[in-house]
Amino acid sequence: MMSAEVAVVGLGYVGLPLARRACEAGMETVGHDIGADVVDGLGRGRSHIGDVTDEDVGAMLAAGFRASTDPGILTGARTVVICVPTGLTATGTPDLEPLRAAVRTVARYLEPGTLVCVESTSHPGTTEEIVRPLLEAYGLRVGEDFHLAYSPERIDPGNTGFTFRTTPKIVSGCTTLCAKYAEVFYEQLVDTVVVATGTREAEMAKLLENAYRYVNIALVDEAAVYCDRVGIDIWDVLRCAGTKPFGFSAFRPGPGVGGHCIPVDPRYLMTRAAEQGFTFRTLRAAREVLDSMPEHVAGRVRDLLHAAGRNPAGARVTLFGVTYKADVSDTRESPAYPVARALRALGARVAYHDPYVERFEVDGEPVPRHRTERDALAGSDLAVLLQEHTGYRSADWDGAGCQVLDTRGTAEGRRVTRL
Ligand SMILES: NC(=O)c1ccc[n+]([C@@H]2O[C@H](COP(=O)([O-])OP(=O)(O)OC[C@H]3O[C@@H](n4cnc5c(N)ncnc54)[C@H](O)[C@@H]3O)[C@@H](O)[C@H]2O)c1
């Protein structure tokens, strides 16, 4: 079989759209993933990623795309792009094991002249200090025998305004030539390539982008908690402040942050900085605020139920939208988990409604699902709007007798109370 131009390692939210784009750009593309179900599905033309349709996978297969759990598929690939998860361990610390495992695999198939590019998010220094030694273990040298680059992914699931091609891509390399190879590779896939001075600058740029969101979301969340306490309408404050045409970017409060990136990436930076004897104080403060938001939501639920003369213990509370962002099916790190936990601790009978999520389990215990909005509202004493799925914009929140706590500031109705 012919060697591929591009091999993508890790065919998830980041790797699969990259492979699709490479196929579109006419590159002979293959993929390697340790998930047999992922590989089987793709082989049958089925996508497991919201932003990639089955038709897209069909077009990829027609263009010659092949995926395998066998890393032998990497043999001879000119460019290998690593897109494996960099999440947190059970104790909340950065988990670099999947990245190390993937790099060890790539090292076994490395050939002179290959460009290896890491896209997984990690702390500054990862490419040089962790990836490079593992790749060099079999004797080939970066900059002499093969090229090593880092290019952070900026994929934004559900975003139809910016695509892989139209989102500028930062690239960097261990040497100037490594960066050049990466630049030439990505120029074939995206409209704009931005070359960073080095891999640590590119790694830090990615973490800064997400730390910026983390800190600003924490700021508006804390402002919302303060405004609630002193009787100021935070949503009107945001409407007014948002009219400033310069110097102010609007962020919106909510029940906390979720997903694979925003709550996770700052941990990589904080942990690494701490190892280096540096305390990232803004991130530490932001984390404290963000971690407290699910409890704040549960506290508002308790107060609303008490005000209506109901005991939270035994009250039927339904969570609307349990994903980490709107209009996606991904529940990773969703604040819906700690909100459900806090409500259960109050004795509430928690259920959920989410058109995108078939099954939602918290601490091993399934949360009962309402299939329709109407049933969910009719079967609840209080509904909590956690996620602003587009479909909820037309919901009749007053249609049943239940109260509604809107944590997103988008619902209208006499029974609606905002965070
Ligand atoms: N999801 C996003 O929106 C997003 C955006 C920007 C950056 N990132 C970063 O991109 C990276 C990948 O994230 P993702 O959301 O695509 O993850 P994901 O969990 O959706 O997909 C990762 C895939 O890698 C596979 N995998 C794990 N270990 C492997 C190994 N050793 N060899 C081969 N395959 C392996 C998994 O089976 C999975 O299919 C992470 O570092 C993440 O922080 C994600």
Side-chain angles (χ1 to χ4, degrees), residues 10 12-14 33 83-84 86 120-121 153 155 157 206 260-261 332:
Y13 287 89
V14 168
D33 198 293
C83 307
V84 297
T86 41
S120 301
T121 308
E153 184 41 59
I155 213 130
K206 169 69 188 180
H260 193 34
C261 295
R332 289 181 295 179

Side-chain angles (χ1 to χ4, degrees), residues 214-215 270 279-290:
Y214 192 76
V215 169
M270 276 187 268
T279 305
F280 242 107
R281 289 169 298 166
T282 40
L283 294 181
R284 190 175 59 185
R287 180 178 171 190
E288 199 181 304
V289 173
L290 292 167

Side-chain angles (χ1 to χ4, degrees), residues 32-113:
H32 164 59
D33 198 293
I34 53 170
D37 45 345
V38 167
V39 167
D40 282 355
L42 291 173
R44 289 168 211 268
R46 276 203 319 269
S47 169
H48 58 292
I49 300 296
D51 285 350
V52 178
T53 64
D54 290 352
E55 291 73 46
D56 291 336
V57 177
M60 290 167 71
L61 294 174
F65 176 75
R66 292 167 287 127
S68 178
T69 53
D70 178 358
I73 200 163
L74 305 177
T75 308
R78 303 314 304 145
T79 299
V80 179
V81 191
I82 300 175
C83 307
V84 297
T86 41
L88 300 175
T89 62
T91 55
T93 55
D95 183 5
L96 285 166
E97 261 330 295
L99 179 62
R100 285 199 184 93
V103 174
R104 282 190 202 104
T105 302
V106 172
R108 296 204 330 256
Y109 292 90
L110 197 58
E111 290 178 16

